[in-house]
Amino acid sequence: MIERSSQTAVHELVSQYLDGGLSRRQFVKGAVAIGLSMTTVGALLAACSSSSPGTSATPKRGGTLKEGYDLDFSRLDPINTNWYDPAFYAVYESLVTNDPSGNYVPQIAESWNVSSDGLKATFKIRSGLKFQSGAPLDAAAIKAVYDGIADPKNGSPLGSIWVPVASTEAPDATTLVINLKHPYFDLFNIVKTGYWDIVNMAFRAQLGDKYGQQGVDGSGPFTLTEWVPGSHTSVKRWESYPGTVTPFIQNKAKPYLDGINWLTILDAPQRAIQIQNGEIDTLRGPAFQDISRLQSDSNLTVTKLKEWSGYFFSLNFKRSDLGFNDVNVRQALSHAIDRASIVKALLFEHGEPLYGPITSADKSYTKDVEQFNQFDVTKAKSMLGDAGWKAGSDGILTKNGKRFAFEMIIQAESFNQQLGSVIQAQLKTVGVDLKVSSLDRGTFFNKAFANPDSVMFFYLWPVPIDVVTLFVNSVNANGKGPNWGNAVVPQVDAAIAAWQSAANQDQLIAAGKQFQLACAEQLPFVPVINRDAFWVSRKRVHGWQPDQWNLYPYYNDVWLD
Amino acid sequence: MADLTVIDDKAAWEARVDRLWAARPTRWRDAWHELTRNKLALGGSVIVAFFTLVAIVGPALAPYDYAKQVLSDTLLPPLTQGHLLGTDALGRDLLSRLLLGIRISMAVGLGTTAIALVVGTVAGMLAGYYRGWVDRIVGGFVELVWGFPLILIAVLLIGAIGPGLVGVVVAVGFVNWAGFARIVRGEVFALREKEFVASARALGKGDLDIMIRHLLPNVVGSALVMGSYYIAIAIIAEAGLSFIGMGAQPPLPSLGQMINEGSGYMLLNHWLSTIPGIVIVLLVLGLNVLGDGMRDVLDPRLKGTG
Amino acid sequence: MASYLARRTGYMLLILLISSVVIFYALRSAPGGPSGGGVLSPLSSQEVRQAYEKRLGLDQPVYTQYFIYLGHLARGDLGTSLVNGSPIVELLATHARNSLVLGLTALLISYVIAIPLGVLAAVKRNTWIDQLAMGGAILGMGIPNFWLALILVYFFSLRLGWLPSAGCCDPPQLIMPALVLAAEGTAVTMRMTRSSMLEHLRDDFVRALRAKGLPEWEVIIRHVLRNALIPVISLTGLRLGWLVGYALIVETIFRWPGVGYLLVDSVLRRDYPVAQFFSLLLIFFVLIANWLADIGYGLANPRIRVA
């Protein structure tokens, strides 16, 4: 971190550079002279060049940012939410977070170290922090959160990810210790996510089921004003925000914005129209068919990032009459899917085929998965033939008088419906009769847990392998968790165990590779595609920088012209 | 959903029934003659006949399989590469889908209306004939159904039998019978006081006989007129339910489902939703005009009044 | 009259009671539930779901739940939303206000357009004005509202950039949903006005008034229209309740947080307290409208004492 005295010097240097008073070379010289490392200089230069014209102007206080969002909002409770929404980045903070290059940087913890045996992680907590309610945010408060996630009573669906943690201790107000059962190298990746955001557990207990609905108590720079499901979430600046120590956030003090209003806009063309009309300032997730239109609008900046999550569908291992417990049948169906064409037609090339369980956005992605699941109708047909399926008079396969027909449930949403339609048509080419049923939210997940033939799903979390384990871990089968296909694959379970006990980066990468190959070959679910993440902003918005490593942008630096 | 409009005024009803009765002897005899003379009815008939023909033979003449996807030829505009109306987002021929969509939408319209017509006519006749508690029960159901949100019925049925057209037909039919019941009840209520009913009863004819032989022929005209409006209403309702994902399931197209699928591409290729939209408008227009024309024919004194 | 009034009111309450039972059972017999992803985390285990349902009392027999609900209602406790914990009283205040604003604006638009045009069409019967107006009316009845919404947004928001495409609750955001909602009502009201005018233009008293030498416009506006408007206005009662139901789709498309929007959303998420309350409210609205219409007829025409 930069010393306080040199910080002023950096500011001067940067503003001179931006004003055109310094050449790039002069700037680098000057920066090195005041003791900045070359990496920091590089980051500074990158930040300068990526910022839009006018950034050199001093940030203005005030105004409300209106951000369009392509999903509906869930309750703002880290421990039991459907998924976490952008507002989490405004009202909460985590122990650590990622900078735009993917390094772990301080947020609530100012520093940390891991014992040499890898069994103990000690975090130094910033002193004097408070929750928005005024309650102290100290090590004990954080321990309460982590214990809460581990406690099945709270129903955190992510409990199986937290298994390697033996206990959490708070010996004093500024020291938090996480004791591990075995080395768990991915710990930081977990605690940086929204599900491990720090919430005032006492307040949460007090509000009960209404926590995250009617009230929120975090330590982020904004406080919740209201959440109207299906419509909007709004927050306003927390006037007592103590500031941040996170290095890449330039505004160390209170945020510039008076407030933020996120609008849920489920209708695809409406999202594009609203940002083009200036009805909203920023937008997450424009429809793929509208991206080239937005890119050619000179009032807009379009940012494309890789997405962490993919679309997949399960095949219920209990349908042994269809051979879904037979890896050859699963592979045959997977070979019938023409992923590249789907990416071209539905995503307008803004995405990639998915051959394994995670996307290439992840550091531990291995290209070796691409040997599996390639589009090959002939192979698919011969594998199904080998499994004893023969084409009937209507072209649909039969075996022992049984037609190869099954039902896939999807959530009623236009992209899902299209993807479902395409999978249906492509499976038909190999003689499989797929019925696609789109269900509303109240029904979908209940059906998903009720032993369905097949579920199509899209998860949205930035820690791919950890999340994917939820869907394929055999402990989550049979209604215990979201392993809806009831997949029990020993190779996959073994890889999960290896991942969760990796002691160092090398072991982690090896386990990650093992996991990906096991999933790609054994197919506890069938991966389909991965789509890119798109962010759009109007030129009047400054300091709003979505990055690859955080699911949503931070709002501390955002200001409006 | 369009509604009963012209005929919700009870006093107007009575007057109308009187006129109907007065016109009775010549009504059916002249109906055909009138129908061909009435420009409105003729226009409506031509449109409806055209779409009926398309619904029957259209899918057989379709240039492509409606479900055939060519992912390399998506979103083609009309008049390209052998696709008269272009292709949709999955590279399916829009014309072929439209032809089947018309069949499905019309079948849904006819199916729901047939259910509604039969149930509504029987209920309305019983209520109007027996009055008293029968009337109150039927009236109660009518009011209940009238106020019951279609979405709730749709969610229930679709939950019970899975999403799809059957649920839509039953749900919309379930709501629309009330309209017929109201109309028929009103007419029977007034007709029962007429001399011919009293004399039939004096001759010792049974209730069922009176209802079928004397009352039914007199209300069937109005019911058919209503039917024409209600087919239109059902087509729009199906489109609305499809629009929120509860109608036809992939890969089946209905006109509403096609608008729904196309609406996401409004900015890129608006034809996907404008073409089925125009077809719905024309179809509904034809049905409404036909309804107006039939009403004029069956009730000449009202001609041109609404 | 008093006994008729009492009978009619009692009858209305009875239907309301029956409706409440039907809705209560219907909602709970629909597959899924609030633990299915609308309220609880969708990935929660069965165990957590069951615990949640137990906490809400959803594991009890439906009739027990029903009586508990009635008990709460009797104490004036409408309950709270399961999805976001808002008291239903609050939702009622905000969403019902939004719906009223939208509905009344739409109603106003339809009358302001429909009545003058209907009168004009009747007076200028069989001229091009008449044909144009009636052609427009037939078109208005035929356009599916969600499609009309798409077209309007396409032109006014995208092409011209004049109007916001969706949202609530600035006046410019009200314009398009109100227009779409008004379209069909305008068509119907115009047809109704015209036919009613034509009936009354044939009345004997009109001939008498003309014979007395009153100016034509006075005959039409002061005498014919006054009588012709009675059925049009009484239709309003019926249409009002129905308008709320019709608003479902319009509110959803334009993201106008009204009762229709809330109803669809709560049914889809199985937010039982909200869904059952607003379904009942809708039925209540329709019943009241019918009740008013019946009472009105009863008052106007003592011969009619129908239930």
Side-chain angles (χ1 to χ4, degrees):
Chain A
M1 259 174 57
I2 304 163
E3 292 291 318
R4 185 140 195 86
S5 56
S6 62
Q7 219 168 29
T8 339
V10 174
H11 272 287
E12 278 170 17
L13 206 61
V14 169
S15 53
Q16 269 182 301
Y17 172 65
L18 285 171
D19 290 340
L22 288 179
S23 74
R24 195 181 169 91
R25 174 185 287 199
Q26 284 170 321
F27 173 77
V28 174
K29 268 187 169 171
V32 174
I34 58 170
L36 295 182
S37 72
M38 276 314 283
T39 4
T40 319
V41 175
L44 276 174
L45 282 171
C48 293
S49 60
S50 69
S51 55
S52 37
T55 311
S56 57
T58 27
K60 286 196 190 105
R61 268 178 87 87
T64 297
L65 180 79
K66 277 185 272 181
E67 184 159 296
Y69 185 49
D70 60 336
L71 294 171
D72 196 1
F73 304 97
S74 339
R75 62 194 301 185
L76 285 109
D77 173 18
I79 296 185
N80 196 345
T81 184
N82 290 15
W83 54 76
Y84 59 94
D85 298 310
F88 273 61
Y89 277 63
V91 299
Y92 290 117
E93 290 178 334
S94 303
L95 214 48
V96 300
T97 186
N98 276 134
D99 69 8
S101 325
N103 306 308
Y104 298 116
V105 291
Q107 198 168 36
I108 287 176
E110 58 186 30
S111 63
W112 52 84
N113 65 69
V114 180
S115 65
S116 54
D117 61 2
L119 292 176
K120 185 170 166 180
T122 309
F123 295 84
K124 174 112 174 73
I125 308 301
R126 290 171 63 196
S127 59
L129 288 183
K130 285 191 174 7
F131 285 109
Q132 290 156 356
S133 63
L137 195 179
D138 53 14
I142 300 167
K143 171 180 155 57
V145 176
Y146 291 174
D147 288 350
I149 291 168
D151 184 352
K153 272 213 308 282
N154 286 309
S156 169
L158 307 159
S160 70
I161 295 179
W162 203 234
V163 167
V165 173
S167 67
T168 310
E169 290 169 42
D172 62 60
T174 58
T175 309
L176 181 83
V177 180
I178 298 180
N179 295 307
L180 299 162
K181 292 173 190 160
H182 47 71
Y184 182 30
F185 194 76
D186 213 33
L187 179 71
F188 289 86
N189 211 13
I190 301 294
V191 298
K192 74 154 204 212
T193 68
Y195 298 105
W196 274 262
D197 275 344
I198 304 308
V199 28
N200 179 357
M201 290 301 276
F203 186 81
R204 185 177 180 275
Q206 203 184 320
L207 277 192
D209 280 331
K210 284 188 188 165
Y211 182 81
Q213 298 181 334
Q214 291 290 297
V216 153
D217 197 12
S219 59
F222 293 88
T223 58
L224 179 68
T225 312
E226 69 170 348
W227 167 44
V228 180
S231 173
H232 64 272
T233 300
S234 48
V235 297
K236 63 174 193 294
R237 181 171 51 228
W238 178 28
E239 297 297 347
S240 312
Y241 181 62
T244 180
V245 296
T246 306
F248 73 92
I249 294 178
Q250 287 161 17
N251 173 20
K252 302 293 177 198
K254 278 185 286 182
Y256 303 121
L257 294 169
D258 291 337
I260 309 167
N261 194 6
W262 290 272
L263 304 163
T264 185
I265 312 175
L266 301 179
D267 183 57
Q270 228 172 47
R271 289 198 288 279
I273 294 174
Q274 291 211 304
I275 191 130
Q276 284 197 292
N277 269 1
E279 292 170 54
I280 50 177
D281 305 306
T282 52
L283 170 68
R284 176 195 180 277
F288 295 97
Q289 57 267 28
D290 297 328
I291 281 165
S292 59
R293 172 190 187 91
L294 297 177
Q295 281 170 334
S296 62
D297 185 329
S298 61
N299 293 313
L300 304 177
T301 309
V302 178
T303 308
K304 172 173 171 166
L305 299 171
K306 284 217 168 199
E307 183 65 87
W308 296 101
S309 352
Y311 284 84
F312 65 80
F313 62 90
S314 64
L315 294 170
N316 195 334
F317 279 38
K318 290 188 176 161
R319 284 299 303 265
S320 50
D321 56 331
L322 296 181
F324 286 169
N325 56 339
D326 174 359
V327 65
N328 292 312
V329 172
R330 295 197 298 273
Q331 284 180 351
L333 296 195
S334 182
H335 283 307
I337 308 290
D338 181 2
R339 294 169 175 81
S341 290
I342 298 177
V343 170
K344 182 174 176 289
L346 293 190
L347 301 179
F348 297 76
E349 304 283 10
H350 299 302
E352 58 191 14
L354 203 57
Y355 298 104
I358 64 165
T359 76
S360 66
D362 195 59
K363 284 185 276 208
S364 46
Y365 177 77
T366 169
K367 275 182 95 69
D368 293 354
V369 294
E370 292 166 22
Q371 63 187 290
F372 301 105
N373 305 309
Q374 288 290 342
F375 177 50
D376 190 341
V377 172
T378 325
K379 191 169 177 188
K381 281 182 175 163
S382 82
M383 287 174 89
L384 286 168
D386 292 346
W389 292 94
K390 290 188 178 53
S393 56
D394 57 350
I396 300 302
L397 298 173
T398 56
K399 180 179 171 182
N400 306 328
K402 176 121 206 151
R403 286 177 91 240
F404 204 136
F406 67 102
E407 182 188 16
M408 173 190 282
I409 59 170
I410 62 174
Q411 276 199 80
E413 187 269 328
S414 57
F415 188 83
N416 285 339
Q417 279 162 344
Q418 286 189 331
L419 188 56
S421 246
V422 173
I423 293 172
Q424 180 183 51
Q426 296 186 342
L427 288 185
K428 197 161 183 205
T429 59
V430 296
V432 173
D433 180 15
L434 177 67
K435 179 182 174 218
V436 178
S437 295
S438 46
L439 304 174
D440 63 68
R441 285 174 71 173
T443 317
F444 178 80
F445 287 103
N446 269 21
K447 283 251 166 93
F449 279 93
N451 209 19
D453 293 347
S454 175
V455 179
M456 187 170 87
F457 197 58
F458 169 67
Y459 57 93
L460 192 61
W461 287 305
V463 284
I465 291 188
D466 301 281
V467 165
V468 168
T469 62
L470 290 173
F471 300 100
V472 297
N473 196 330
S474 64
V475 304
N476 280 340
N478 301 315
K480 295 208 179 61
N483 181 345
W484 299 309
N486 297 309
V488 180
V489 184
Q491 294 96 315
V492 171
D493 285 344
I496 295 174
W499 172 262
Q500 289 188 340
S501 59
N504 54 45
Q505 182 81 28
D506 291 342
Q507 284 181 16
L508 192 78
I509 286 175
K513 190 170 174 184
Q514 182 191 347
F515 177 76
Q516 290 174 63
L517 290 173
C519 286
E521 186 187 12
Q522 295 294 321
L523 296 175
F525 63 62
V526 180
V528 187
I529 47 161
N530 161 34
R531 56 181 205 187
D532 292 327
F534 279 90
W535 298 86
V536 190
S537 63
R538 292 189 67 84
K539 296 279 193 233
R540 70 186 284 247
V541 181
H542 303 270
W544 182 83
Q545 279 168 335
D547 68 67
Q548 181 67 55
W549 303 92
N550 292 297
L551 205 47
Y552 308 109
Y554 282 98
Y555 299 91
N556 302 52
D557 283 332
V558 180
W559 59 278
L560 301 170
D561 253 343
Chain B
M1 284 180 260
D3 69 358
L4 323 180
T5 67
V6 250
I7 19 202
D8 254 317
D9 181 326
K10 284 194 177 112
W13 262 113
E14 306 235 316
R16 229 195 113 192
V17 169
D18 282 338
R19 286 198 300 267
L20 273 176
W21 180 243
R24 184 177 56 105
T26 56
R27 208 168 46 160
W28 288 106
R29 202 180 312 145
D30 292 341
W32 175 249
H33 184 59
E34 270 285 333
L35 198 64
T36 48
R37 261 193 5 195
N38 183 306
K39 270 190 252 165
L40 209 57
L42 195 65
S45 312
V46 168
I47 298 177
V48 174
F50 170 74
F51 280 114
T52 311
L53 190 71
V54 169
I56 294 169
V57 303
L61 302 177
Y64 297 87
D65 174 358
Y66 73 94
K68 171 82 180 157
Q69 300 176 358
V70 183
L71 293 183
S72 49
D73 281 341
T74 59
L75 297 168
L76 297 176
L79 301 172
T80 36
Q81 298 179 20
H83 297 283
L84 192 61
L85 299 180
T87 58
D88 72 2
L90 304 180
R92 298 176 295 200
D93 180 55
L94 199 66
L95 176 62
S96 306
R97 289 181 70 70
L98 191 71
L99 292 171
L100 184 63
I102 291 171
R103 174 187 280 182
I104 290 175
S105 284
M106 285 196 79
V108 168
L110 282 173
T112 53
T113 307
I115 295 178
L117 187 121
V118 171
V119 175
T121 305
V122 170
M125 204 132 80
L126 292 176
Y129 188 80
Y130 288 109
R131 308 188 178 184
W133 62 270
V134 179
D135 190 21
R136 246 165 261 155
I137 289 180
V138 171
F141 273 113
V142 167
E143 291 199 31
L144 186 71
V145 161
W146 215 250
F148 218 79
L150 180 61
I151 177 82
L152 193 55
I153 300 168
V155 165
L156 283 174
L157 274 163
I158 282 156
I161 60 182
L165 290 170
V166 179
V168 170
V169 170
V170 179
V172 177
F174 182 79
V175 175
N176 284 358
W177 71 271
F180 289 95
R182 255 180 114 99
I183 298 302
V184 171
R185 175 201 170 273
E187 297 216 344
V188 170
F189 199 90
L191 279 171
R192 217 192 80 153
E193 300 303 307
K194 301 297 166 201
E195 280 166 39
F196 74 99
V197 175
S199 53
R201 200 177 290 141
L203 288 170
K205 295 198 172 164
D207 289 346
L208 192 66
D209 196 37
I210 292 176
M211 277 191 267
I212 292 178
R213 291 190 179 211
H214 297 273
L215 297 177
L216 189 61
N218 284 296
V219 296
V220 81
S222 317
L224 284 178
V225 172
M226 292 294 303
S228 149
Y229 294 130
Y230 266 93
I231 294 174
I233 290 170
I235 288 174
I236 292 184
E238 187 279 330
L241 285 176
S242 285
F243 194 71
I244 53 175
M246 295 193 162
Q249 294 297 301
L252 276 187
S254 72
L255 294 175
Q257 178 68 16
M258 291 181 72
I259 296 180
N260 180 24
E261 287 170 356
S263 69
Y265 295 84
M266 199 69 188
L267 309 182
L268 199 60
N269 182 350
H270 68 86
W271 295 111
L272 294 181
S273 54
T274 23
I275 291 172
I278 290 168
V279 170
I280 284 201
V281 171
L282 282 178
L283 183 54
V284 170
L285 194 90
L287 286 162
N288 282 338
V289 171
L290 177 65
D292 285 0
M294 285 201 317
R295 191 197 50 219
D296 291 351
V297 169
L298 293 173
D299 188 0
R301 283 202 45 195
L302 274 181
K303 185 171 176 183
T305 57
Chain C
M1 193 63 217
S3 78
Y4 171 65
L5 201 73
R7 202 152 43 92
R8 191 67 187 76
T9 310
Y11 177 68
M12 187 183 82
L13 290 175
L14 181 71
I15 293 181
L16 202 60
L17 194 70
I18 296 172
S19 312
S20 69
V21 176
V22 172
I23 286 173
F24 206 85
Y25 266 84
L27 262 174
R28 279 162 179 74
S29 56
S35 67
V39 180
L40 218 57
S41 166
L43 305 185
S44 306
S45 65
Q46 295 291 56
E47 206 178 312
V48 169
R49 282 160 206 277
Q50 279 157 8
Y52 177 76
E53 297 195 338
K54 196 164 178 177
R55 212 155 59 236
L56 293 184
L58 296 175
D59 56 336
Q60 297 182 39
V62 178
Y63 62 86
T64 315
Q65 295 180 43
Y66 178 71
F67 285 115
I68 292 173
Y69 180 60
L70 281 193
H72 287 283
L73 279 188
R75 288 201 306 272
D77 174 12
L78 302 182
T80 54
S81 159
L82 301 179
V83 173
N84 86 334
S86 297
I88 286 176
V89 183
E90 261 175 41
L91 293 177
L92 185 65
T94 55
H95 288 71
R97 187 196 57 214
N98 290 342
S99 277
L100 272 179
V101 168
L102 178 61
L104 291 178
T105 311
L107 214 58
L108 194 71
I109 293 176
S110 42
Y111 284 147
V112 166
I113 297 174
I115 292 177
L117 276 179
V119 170
L120 202 64
V123 173
K124 306 270 176 196
R125 190 180 171 187
N126 290 339
T127 63
W128 64 270
I129 300 179
D130 183 22
Q131 279 156 0
L132 198 71
M134 286 306 108
I138 277 193
L139 203 65
M141 284 170 68
I143 294 188
N145 53 1
F146 59 89
W147 192 66
L148 179 62
L150 283 180
I151 302 288
L152 288 186
V153 168
Y154 188 77
F155 281 104
F156 290 104
S157 300
L158 187 71
R159 281 286 140 106
L160 302 170
W162 289 354
L163 291 173
S165 61
C168 181
C169 304
D170 301 330
Q173 290 171 320
L174 177 61
I175 296 175
M176 278 198 291
L179 278 177
V180 172
L181 194 57
E184 201 266 348
T186 308
V188 168
T189 312
M190 204 194 298
R191 281 160 64 101
M192 180 91 185
T193 308
R194 179 176 174 277
S195 70
S196 181
M197 282 291 292
L198 285 179
E199 297 234 343
H200 287 287
L201 277 171
R202 278 192 289 236
D203 284 350
D204 291 337
F205 83 95
V206 176
R207 237 167 284 149
L209 286 172
R210 280 190 187 132
K212 270 168 67 184
L214 274 176
E216 184 67 14
W217 65 266
E218 205 181 325
V219 174
I220 287 166
I221 303 295
R222 288 188 54 181
H223 299 280
V224 181
L225 182 60
R226 241 170 69 181
N227 285 307
L229 276 186
I230 294 171
V232 176
I233 300 295
S234 71
L235 185 70
T236 308
L238 270 176
R239 295 194 59 80
L240 210 60
W242 178 84
L243 204 63
V244 179
Y246 195 41
L248 292 179
I249 287 180
V250 175
E251 290 181 354
T252 306
I253 291 178
F254 288 102
R255 302 206 325 273
W256 184 268
V259 168
Y261 185 86
L262 190 64
L263 188 63
V264 174
D265 196 56
S266 60
V267 168
L268 294 183
R269 292 178 196 251
R270 310 293 187 272
D271 188 348
Y272 294 149
V274 176
Q276 68 207 19
F277 177 78
F278 284 95
S279 300
L280 262 181
L281 188 74
L282 198 63
I283 292 181
F284 181 68
F285 220 60
V286 175
L287 286 175
I288 286 280
N290 285 354
W291 181 81
L292 283 175
D294 270 6
I295 298 289
Y297 281 124
L299 288 175
N301 188 353
R303 278 187 307 117
I304 307 174
R305 284 292 152 82
V306 291

